[in-house]
Amino acid sequence: MTQKEALTEYLLRLADSDMILGQRLCELCGKAPALEEEMALMNVALDLVGQARNWYEYAAELIDDGRDADKLAFRRDAHDYRNLLLTEQPNEDYAVTMGRQFFYDAWHYFTLKSLVNASDERVAAIAAKALKEVTYHLRRSSEWVKRLGDGTEESHRRMQDAVDILWRFTGELITPDETDRLMAEAGIGPDPEQLKEDWRGLVKEVLQEATLTPQPDDAWMYLGGKRGEHTEHLGFILAEMQFLQRAYPDATTW
Amino acid sequence: MYAQLVETGAKRVKSLDEMSPEERAFQEKIDAEVKIEPKNWMPEGYRKTLVRQISQHAHSEVVGMLPEGNWVTRAPTLKRKLQLMAKIQDEAGHGLYLYSAMETLGADRDEEIEKLHQGKAKYSSIFNYPTLNWADMGAVGWLVDGAAIVNQVVLQRTSYGPYSRAMIRICKEESFHQRQGYQILLDMMREGTEEQKQMVQDAINRLWWPALMMFGPHDDESPNSQQSMAWKIKRKSNDELRQMFIDQTVPQLEYLGCTAPDPDLKWNEETGHYDFGEINWQEFYDVLKGNGPCNRERIKTRKNAIDEGAWVREAAVAYAKKQKQRAEAA
């Protein structure tokens, strides 16, 4: 793998993860537990899809085969999608929604914090803007995990269930593969060991404050998203999200 | 226009002579275009009417997110998706802002929302129509936000201060939504495929009449209008507003290269306005009574959201309480 290929792959992971999580949040439109949450969820989704667009645009330039950001988002099938499995998991209840968000935000935050210093200026610039947004996302989702974990008996039970349901998808966030290593070596991506340590440290701290129990570090982990092997959910997400582009392939403007 | 048929409780408008000294002072203030603020004395009817109108307006913003939410997961491009998400977010914001304006009148947001879920409070009839193709996202922005703006521009001068200020802020965002909506349609008509053009015309055919219904019944069928006008809660009559909307919209329709589903729609040289056909009032009242295509679904979705979110809100309250106790103990 050349460095350019690795960077392209890496950009698609960032873009696809943002896009798919943003899509999941869009599904909650009109269904949030309070009007304030309605605004906040859409705000986070808006940030994520906006970031996805920036990453896609850069990826499209590197791929340079005539496809633009929209084509990358709306015309690739599941096996070409590189999002983290965590992001495609269903919303379920608000504990799962917020647990998923928190695990992702923690990864996203430390990743971007490293990317702002990337040797690639374009990556650094996109990351700098995204980091401001994600700093807020992380604060918000951490607060919710604490509220639900240390709220009522019911919310505690639901939040602990959410942690248990989602845990197996978190290994992928901190298990590096060749692309991750190449990006770290190129001075673009975060150092995998550092990322793992930071993510685990923060997650343990927040879960502890939330009176929740994490699963062991050596728990079995479900991997595959980064190489295009997804859970069954992604196909349905894309069927919905890409409907118009697929149903009207001749349309060049919308 | 997100408020229709707002009950004022008044059978007819009192003359100044019939009023108590307080009422008269109040009416004279209104006549002099002085804004009424939350702590000022106001007749109970005025307060109640405003609570009804502002809560209807707020409910409409919130229920209005649903027909758009129906397409936000299927928006065709990143740009359109982001625009639609931003629009929906604005609407949630308008809802919050309006509920706050309503609460300055001593009403309670949760109670008013409960009335909505029990079918006791109204919201704009337009949101009981389904959004069936992507062009609906353009047509809703153009026609529905367009109709709302015609009313709300006038309401910027409404007599109640907090409502007036809410309208000023909301109008800015709605105008932006309307232009965006129109642009969606224009792009499809200019550069789209035949199928896309058909989507646009189909959306207009379905939403045209419901958009005209947003202005409410004819003036002579609108018994509450007179009192609302005297209180300057309302500033122009339903028919006047509807005509304004038609007059500004038809040239835009023609520019699109589309038609309205109204054979009687034509320019009247003498009046300087467009003539248009009669609205199907039976349909209007049916929808208002709960018998529109999506009334049940809309309310069910909103009710479920709040009911199923109860444990979340309870957890937030319990956590805040614990935090407070810990802070006090420390």
Side-chain angles (χ1 to χ4, degrees):
Chain A
M1 200 184 317
T2 65
Q3 194 188 311
K4 189 179 164 188
E5 283 165 347
L7 178 57
T8 308
E9 186 75 8
Y10 193 72
L11 291 173
L12 286 175
R13 289 177 183 183
L14 292 168
D16 290 343
S17 291
D18 284 344
M19 189 69 195
I20 296 301
L21 186 55
Q23 175 73 3
R24 278 297 191 204
L25 296 177
C26 281
E27 292 172 12
L28 290 170
C29 173
K31 297 169 185 140
L35 201 45
E36 286 80 356
E37 287 307 293
E38 204 71 66
M39 282 200 69
L41 287 174
M42 199 46 91
N43 185 36
V44 172
L46 204 48
D47 289 343
L48 291 175
V49 177
Q51 291 170 22
R53 179 165 67 171
N54 292 336
W55 296 126
Y56 280 134
E57 279 170 357
Y58 190 18
E61 284 172 34
L62 294 178
I63 295 168
D64 195 24
D65 66 353
R67 284 185 294 173
D68 60 8
D70 282 328
K71 289 273 190 304
L72 293 179
F74 295 100
R75 298 281 183 101
R76 280 178 309 139
D77 205 347
H79 60 268
D80 284 329
Y81 254 75
R82 295 289 181 263
N83 62 286
L84 297 161
L85 297 175
L86 177 71
T87 61
E88 67 199 44
Q89 299 314 305
N91 293 321
E92 307 278 358
D93 65 6
Y94 215 58
V96 173
T97 298
M98 278 303 149
R100 184 186 61 197
Q101 193 68 42
F102 169 64
F103 289 144
Y104 183 74
D105 290 344
W107 169 84
H108 205 189
Y109 174 77
F110 290 118
T111 299
L112 290 170
K113 224 176 145 190
S114 169
L115 291 179
V116 295
N117 298 316
S119 57
D120 183 303
E121 281 178 19
R122 181 83 173 270
V123 169
I126 297 173
K129 185 177 177 292
L131 181 61
K132 285 185 196 144
E133 296 167 346
V134 172
T135 303
Y136 159 75
H137 301 175
L138 177 61
R139 197 169 62 220
R140 188 182 118 74
S141 60
S142 308
E143 283 302 313
W144 267 113
V145 168
K146 290 181 210 165
R147 259 182 223 127
L148 297 180
D150 191 20
T152 61
E153 211 173 298
E154 180 182 6
S155 72
H156 176 82
R157 175 180 55 76
R158 285 176 183 261
M159 196 63 235
Q160 183 65 56
D161 283 350
V163 169
D164 297 344
I165 290 168
L166 295 169
W167 194 260
R168 67 198 163 117
F169 300 109
T170 60
E172 192 177 28
L173 312 183
I174 48 173
T175 306
D177 65 0
E178 192 195 351
T179 302
D180 293 316
R181 283 190 206 97
L182 279 171
M183 281 296 97
E185 283 164 23
I188 296 175
D191 172 61
E193 282 311 309
Q194 189 64 46
L195 179 66
K196 186 183 282 186
E197 200 185 310
D198 289 341
W199 186 88
R200 278 185 176 161
L202 180 69
V203 165
K204 275 183 188 152
E205 185 190 313
V206 170
L207 291 189
Q208 190 177 20
E209 209 185 319
T211 69
L212 298 164
T213 317
Q215 293 199 5
D217 287 343
D218 61 357
W220 177 79
M221 288 295 171
Y222 193 155
L223 309 173
K226 292 198 278 196
R227 58 174 189 272
E229 286 172 28
H230 292 275
T231 58
E232 289 177 341
H233 302 296
L234 186 64
F236 290 94
I237 294 175
L238 296 182
E240 183 174 357
M241 190 176 91
Q242 299 179 335
F243 158 67
L244 285 166
Q245 290 259 359
R246 300 290 193 182
Y248 303 96
D250 299 335
T252 53
T253 186
W254 282 98
Chain B
M1 162 92 64
Y2 288 150
Q4 295 157 324
L5 276 176
V6 180
E7 180 67 41
T8 58
K11 293 206 173 57
R12 63 179 186 86
V13 179
K14 281 188 199 170
S15 71
L16 282 177
D17 295 341
E18 293 170 286
M19 292 176 183
S20 69
E22 275 173 324
E23 280 178 304
R24 193 181 309 169
F26 173 82
Q27 189 61 48
E28 281 168 355
K29 222 167 141 181
I30 288 195
D31 293 343
E33 298 289 335
V34 177
K35 292 272 179 270
I36 307 300
E37 294 300 334
K39 287 183 177 157
N40 297 155
W41 184 89
M42 61 187 81
E44 191 53 17
Y46 176 85
R47 194 187 67 79
K48 280 190 177 160
T49 304
L50 266 173
V51 168
R52 280 193 206 102
Q53 179 161 334
I54 302 174
S55 65
Q56 268 193 40
H57 194 154
H59 298 333
S60 298
E61 295 282 358
V62 176
V63 177
M65 295 166 67
L66 301 176
E68 292 178 326
N70 184 41
W71 279 95
V72 73
T73 53
R74 291 179 289 171
T77 64
L78 291 159
K79 179 175 134 186
R80 294 297 183 214
K81 196 178 189 79
L82 288 163
Q83 282 178 350
L84 188 56
M85 291 163 82
K87 181 173 194 281
I88 292 169
Q89 200 196 11
D90 284 347
E91 278 148 12
H94 295 171
L96 275 175
Y97 201 54
L98 284 161
Y99 282 125
S100 300
M102 182 199 77
E103 289 190 319
T104 63
L105 291 155
D108 179 73
R109 173 173 134 187
D110 293 341
E111 278 173 28
E112 295 305 316
I113 289 174
E114 183 56 32
K115 284 183 201 163
L116 172 73
H117 294 173
Q118 289 172 358
K120 289 180 189 161
K122 292 194 199 79
Y123 55 92
S124 180
S125 55
I126 190 75
F127 301 119
N128 291 312
Y129 289 86
T131 50
L132 300 178
N133 79 49
W134 167 251
D136 286 29
M137 294 304 97
V140 165
W142 173 47
L143 295 174
V144 176
D145 287 73
I149 293 164
V150 166
N151 185 58
Q152 288 167 192
V153 162
V154 185
L155 284 177
Q156 295 180 68
R157 294 188 296 117
T158 197
S159 61
Y160 188 57
Y163 192 30
S164 155
R165 290 188 285 276
M167 284 299 110
I168 291 168
R169 184 166 142 179
I170 288 171
C171 272
K172 283 185 197 152
E173 291 179 354
E174 302 277 27
S175 307
F176 184 63
H177 297 162
Q178 191 200 14
R179 282 199 298 278
Q180 251 173 14
Y182 191 68
Q183 196 62 47
I184 289 176
L185 302 180
L186 198 58
D187 285 354
M188 287 209 271
M189 289 307 292
R190 284 193 170 162
E191 296 165 55
T193 61
E194 269 316 302
E195 283 169 315
Q196 286 177 298
K197 289 176 189 170
Q198 282 168 16
M199 278 182 206
V200 175
Q201 185 60 58
D202 173 60
I204 294 170
N205 289 348
R206 281 180 290 104
L207 289 166
W208 181 262
W209 288 111
L212 297 187
M213 291 177 198
M214 288 173 69
F215 295 94
H218 281 312
D219 297 343
D220 50 10
E221 299 283 328
S222 184
N224 300 298
S225 281
Q226 268 193 323
Q227 180 61 68
S228 283
M229 297 274 267
W231 280 332
K232 296 187 180 173
I233 290 174
K234 218 177 148 115
R235 308 249 12 184
K236 277 191 195 305
S237 81
N238 295 350
D239 286 328
E240 276 178 288
L241 291 166
R242 187 161 23 236
Q243 188 68 55
M244 280 172 66
F245 174 70
I246 296 236
D247 288 346
Q248 77 174 40
T249 303
V250 174
Q252 295 167 1
L253 177 74
E254 288 168 353
Y255 189 70
L256 275 181
C258 291
T259 56
D262 178 1
D264 298 324
L265 183 71
K266 58 176 183 298
W267 177 249
N268 184 327
E269 202 63 59
E270 275 173 42
T271 60
H273 294 290
Y274 284 91
D275 291 338
F276 56 99
E278 193 59 36
I279 286 170
N280 180 346
W281 293 111
Q282 185 59 50
E283 177 180 321
F284 172 74
Y285 288 109
D286 280 345
V287 175
L288 239 53
K289 274 185 214 136
N291 295 315
C294 301
N295 295 54
R296 283 159 207 262
E297 288 80 358
R298 299 290 187 242
I299 291 297
K300 192 178 161 197
T301 304
R302 288 306 310 150
K303 190 175 176 335
N304 282 353
I306 297 305
D307 289 353
E308 286 166 17
W311 69 270
V312 178
R313 299 190 301 278
E314 282 159 18
V317 172
Y319 180 75
K321 211 168 149 187
K322 283 184 197 175
Q323 289 293 90
K324 198 173 163 232
Q325 283 166 354
R326 281 169 197 151
E328 281 165 4

